[in-house]
Amino acid sequence: MAARLKDVAALAGVSVRTVSNVVSNAAAVAPATRARVLAAVEELGYRPNLAARNLRQGRTGLIGVVVPEIHSPYFGALTGLLIDAAQERGWTVLLERTGGRADLERRLLDGSEGHQVDGMIVSPWSTPPAELASLAGGLPLVVLGELDPLGSIDHVALDNVAAARDAARHLVALGRRRIAAIGLQPALGHGTAELRAEGFRLGLREAGLSPAAEAEVADLHRGEGARAMRELLLLPERPDAVFCFSDELALGALRVAAEQGVRVPDELALVGFDDIEDGLFATPSLTTVAPDRAQIAERAVQCLSERVLGRLAALPARRIVVPHRLLVRESSGGPAPAG
């Protein structure tokens, strides 16, 4: 016989209402009590009837996750974490990929695609943040990426200026003076590249330096990193350090350096961004700026869940900035990865 709500309550030593609050995420429950209820749920194999619950509450039980890419290691890993965080709260995720196309971003937000969801987590590349709220038409929305300057939507973001500044400062501290960047994207309007460029320039300016070069790219993948590095190595004064706006760009650059006999890090220090797994296993391993992806996913889903459940309906939009770390590895003179 299938376990019932009251069976879980009896085993956990709490009320049926408390169990209901835990499994539906409908109200705050003390961490110790929540852990006890979840242990009882696991032991008894209790499975709530989510479809019936959502029907009673006027919800679908679905949330949309809209990202520009799923084939890139960064967005692939982040999407997995978002799905995990949503499932822990009883949500089912409808995943959509836009390729950064403005028309598709807009259609997904304004309901033209016909999907019925309770809320959306969106990482836009082409639609300005100020336009997102009006497109969503009151649907609970959390945006990943650059902070909305008007503060009209819940945002979960990394401080890209501070992160890129840390990367530039690191290269300056190594004694490098001809420091270039790979990753400017003037054709895109989502702002990430602009903010990383701003932080990169700021870090150099603080040391009395100017960029040796700033290479533009069509995307943030390996092929563009390789192409840009070939161009940089043809300069009359080659850079002695390069900051790449993604790890994929850095891996492409690293390959070209090896092909042309440029020793990393002796002749060229290299720093990437995103902390993808490939960088850990590259030769040499890649120094990188590591955003806290787990916290991005957790905060975004929690924020959306609270909006959907109506707990924060009257509160202003929140601006959540997650931390980052600079992981110094072999490509800028750091140690080899352990293990």
Side-chain angles (χ1 to χ4, degrees), residues 15-331:
S15 68
V16 169
R17 179 176 293 277
T18 297
V19 175
S20 179
N21 286 338
V22 170
V23 298
S24 66
N25 218 32
V29 176
T33 303
R34 179 181 177 83
R36 201 160 67 247
V37 170
L38 291 177
V41 166
E42 182 68 23
E43 182 175 339
L44 295 175
Y46 172 72
R47 294 294 178 265
N49 188 336
L50 297 178
R53 187 191 79 201
N54 289 326
L55 184 62
R56 288 194 302 271
Q57 297 174 342
R59 297 197 295 268
T60 67
L62 294 172
I63 63 170
V65 170
V66 179
V67 294
E69 303 176 331
I70 55 175
H71 64 280
S72 73
Y74 175 80
F75 279 109
L78 179 59
T79 298
L81 290 167
L82 287 166
I83 292 172
D84 290 344
Q87 289 177 340
E88 287 175 4
R89 292 167 172 81
W91 303 106
T92 298
V93 170
L94 179 65
L95 178 63
E96 292 283 359
R97 175 181 59 89
T98 66
R101 288 170 42 194
D103 61 328
L104 190 48
E105 288 177 354
R106 292 185 174 99
R107 291 207 309 270
L108 288 167
L109 282 165
D110 68 15
S112 301
E113 296 297 296
H115 301 314
Q116 298 297 315
V117 295
D118 297 324
M120 299 185 80
I121 297 172
V122 184
S123 179
W125 268 8
S126 300
T127 308
E131 190 179 341
L132 297 174
S134 60
L135 285 169
L139 184 74
L141 186 66
V142 175
V143 175
L144 307 180
E146 308 326 312
L147 290 171
D148 173 13
L150 302 178
S152 60
I153 318 170
D154 286 334
H155 245 90
V156 179
L158 176 74
D159 188 338
N160 277 290
V161 173
R165 182 188 188 189
D166 288 346
R169 283 174 161 178
H170 169 64
L171 293 171
V172 169
L174 295 176
R176 308 300 166 117
R177 292 297 179 265
R178 299 186 307 279
I179 305 174
I182 295 176
L184 275 70
Q185 294 179 283
L188 289 179
H190 62 91
T192 298
E194 287 85 350
L195 292 175
R196 292 181 186 176
E198 180 184 343
F200 167 70
R201 294 164 188 158
L202 177 59
L204 295 187
R205 192 163 59 246
E206 290 172 339
L209 300 174
S210 298
E214 294 181 336
E216 295 181 3
V217 295
D219 57 50
L220 298 177
H221 302 312
R222 292 169 175 83
E224 283 292 279
R227 180 195 58 76
M229 179 57 86
R230 289 190 184 97
E231 293 179 359
L232 292 179
L233 293 180
L234 291 175
L235 293 174
E237 284 193 288
R238 294 194 321 196
D240 59 10
V242 175
F243 168 49
C244 297
F245 291 5
S246 78
D247 281 355
E248 287 196 78
L249 289 173
L251 290 171
L254 186 63
R255 170 74 184 195
V256 168
E259 288 174 351
Q260 300 200 14
V262 178
R263 291 173 297 143
V264 177
D266 297 343
E267 297 175 89
L268 178 76
L270 196 62
V271 175
F273 203 115
D274 288 337
D275 188 28
I276 67 173
E277 189 176 24
D278 288 359
L280 189 63
F281 292 95
T283 303
S285 56
L286 186 61
T287 294
T288 185
V289 176
D292 191 335
R293 282 192 295 262
Q295 190 168 151
I296 291 172
E298 176 63 25
R299 297 296 297 274
V301 173
Q302 180 63 35
C303 189
L304 185 66
S305 179
E306 290 169 344
R307 291 290 184 189
V308 170
L309 296 172
R311 296 183 206 155
L312 302 175
L315 295 181
R318 289 173 292 179
R319 298 163 63 91
I320 300 168
V321 179
V322 300
H324 65 272
R325 295 183 298 152
L326 181 68
L327 303 179
V328 180
R329 298 185 181 132
E330 293 168 300
S331 71

